[in-house]
Amino acid sequence: MAYQQTALDTVFHALADPTRRAVVQKLVQGSASVMELAEPFEMALPSFMKHVQVLETSGLIRSQKTGRVRTCEINPERLGAAETWINEQRALWVGRTDRLTDHVETLATKKETK
Amino acid sequence: MAYQQTALDTVFHALADPTRRAVVQKLVQGSASVMELAEPFEMALPSFMKHVQVLETSGLIRSQKTGRVRTCEINPERLGAAETWINEQRALWVGRTDRLTDHVETLATKKETK
DNA sequence: GATACACTTAGCTATATGGCTTACCAACAA
DNA sequence: TTGTTGGTAAGCCATATAGCTAAGTGTATC
C-alpha cells in the first residue's frame, strides 16, 4: 500500500503540469520521438527532457533509445491507477448520497403512513 | 481552456500528496472539522492547515468557519474534472487500440479470402 | 473574568521544482 | 572526414513546497 501511495504521488505530480499533460495526450494517440513531442513547446530541449524524465519516473510513459532517437510510449496501466483512485472516491461519494437519499425517503414514507 | 488547464494543474498538484489524498478520502464520506481531519496525522496544525489551503485553492474542497470551528466538505465537481481528463485519455487510448485491432482483423480477413 | 480550544499569522529552514545556458557525446548523412 | 542531428550532462537561478516553532486571535466554556 505504501508503494501504491508513492506511485500515486508521482503520477498526480506528473499530471500537475500542462506540458506533461500535453505529452500524455499526444502519446495516448501513438508513440512519438522526443523531438516530435518537444516541437510544439517553446522550451529548451534540456528543460523538456526533464518533463519526460518526470513522466517516466512516474511510470506514465516508457522510452527507448534506438540509434540517436529516443521514442516514448504511454503506459496505460499507470494512468489507470489514477483513474481507479478517483473512481474509488466517487463511489464513496455516490454511496453516501445514496444513503442520504434513502434516509430522506424513509422519513418521507413514515410521514405518509401516519 | 486556459482556465481549465490551470484548474487541472492545481487539482492534480493537490492530489500529489498522501496527506491531501487522505483528506479527500475522508471528506467524500462526509464533511468534517479541521481538527477531526488533522487528528490522524503527526503534523503541526499550521502545517496541516497548509494542506487544507492547497485543497481549497484547487477547488476540491470548500470550508466554512462557524464559531471557532472550520468545517470542510468535498466539492465533487472538481474531482470530476480530473476524472474527465483521465477518461478522455483513456478514450483516445482505447480508440487507438480499437483501430489497431480493426486493422489487424482486416488483414486477417484478407488473408483468409485469398 | 480566566481558561481552554480551534484555529491563524509570521517567519524560518531544507528541499524540490522548472526554467535557462553551455558544453558535450553518439549516431547518422553528406 | 566533416557536418548535422538528437539528445545528454552539468551547473545556475528563481520560485515553490512542506515541514517546523512561536505567538496571536477569536470563540466557547467554566
Side-chain angles (χ1 to χ4, degrees), chain B residues 13-100:
Chain B
H13 168 69
L15 295 175
D17 180 272
T19 299
R20 296 196 289 269
R21 284 201 303 280
V23 169
V24 168
Q25 280 182 305
K26 181 77 172 181
L27 291 179
V28 294
Q29 303 174 61
S31 61
S33 71
V34 163
M35 295 303 287
E36 288 176 79
L37 293 169
E39 197 199 355
F41 300 98
E42 307 248 337
M43 184 185 290
L45 188 60
S47 304
F48 184 78
M49 281 302 301
K50 279 189 172 182
H51 285 298
V52 172
Q53 286 307 314
V54 170
L55 285 166
E56 194 154 22
T57 299
S58 77
L60 281 163
I61 73 171
R62 289 182 284 251
S63 76
Q64 181 179 7
K65 193 108 175 261
T66 304
R68 62 187 183 184
V69 173
R70 180 170 292 278
T71 305
C72 307
E73 63 181 16
I74 200 71
N75 175 14
E77 291 171 24
R78 191 46 59 90
L79 201 58
E83 183 181 25
T84 297
W85 188 86
I86 294 181
N87 280 342
E88 282 167 6
Q89 309 326 306
R90 170 221 278 267
L92 287 168
W93 167 255
V94 167
R96 170 178 167 237
T97 53
D98 281 352
R99 288 196 298 278
L100 285 172

Side-chain angles (χ1 to χ4, degrees), chain A residues 43-52:
Chain A
M43 183 185 291
L45 188 60
S47 304
F48 185 78
M49 280 302 300
K50 279 188 173 182
H51 286 297
V52 172

Side-chain angles (χ1 to χ4, degrees), chain A residues 4-96:
Chain A
Q4 169 84 352
Q5 285 294 331
T6 304
L8 285 170
D9 287 357
T10 60
V11 164
F12 283 123
H13 168 70
L15 295 176
D17 180 272
T19 298
R20 296 196 289 270
R21 285 200 305 278
V23 169
V24 168
Q25 279 182 305
K26 181 78 170 178
L27 290 179
V28 294
Q29 303 175 61
S31 62
S33 71
V34 162
M35 294 305 288
E36 288 176 81
L37 293 169
E39 196 198 354
F41 300 97
E42 308 250 332
M43 183 185 291
L45 188 60
S47 304
F48 185 78
M49 280 302 300
K50 279 188 173 182
H51 286 297
V52 172
Q53 286 306 314
V54 170
L55 285 166
E56 193 154 21
T57 300
S58 76
L60 281 163
I61 73 171
R62 288 182 285 251
S63 76
Q64 182 179 4
K65 193 105 176 265
T66 303
R68 61 187 179 188
V69 173
R70 179 170 293 277
T71 305
C72 308
E73 63 180 17
I74 199 72
N75 175 14
E77 291 170 25
R78 190 47 58 93
L79 201 57
E83 184 182 23
T84 298
W85 187 86
I86 294 179
N87 280 343
E88 282 168 6
Q89 310 324 307
R90 173 222 276 268
L92 287 169
W93 167 256
V94 166
R96 170 181 166 235

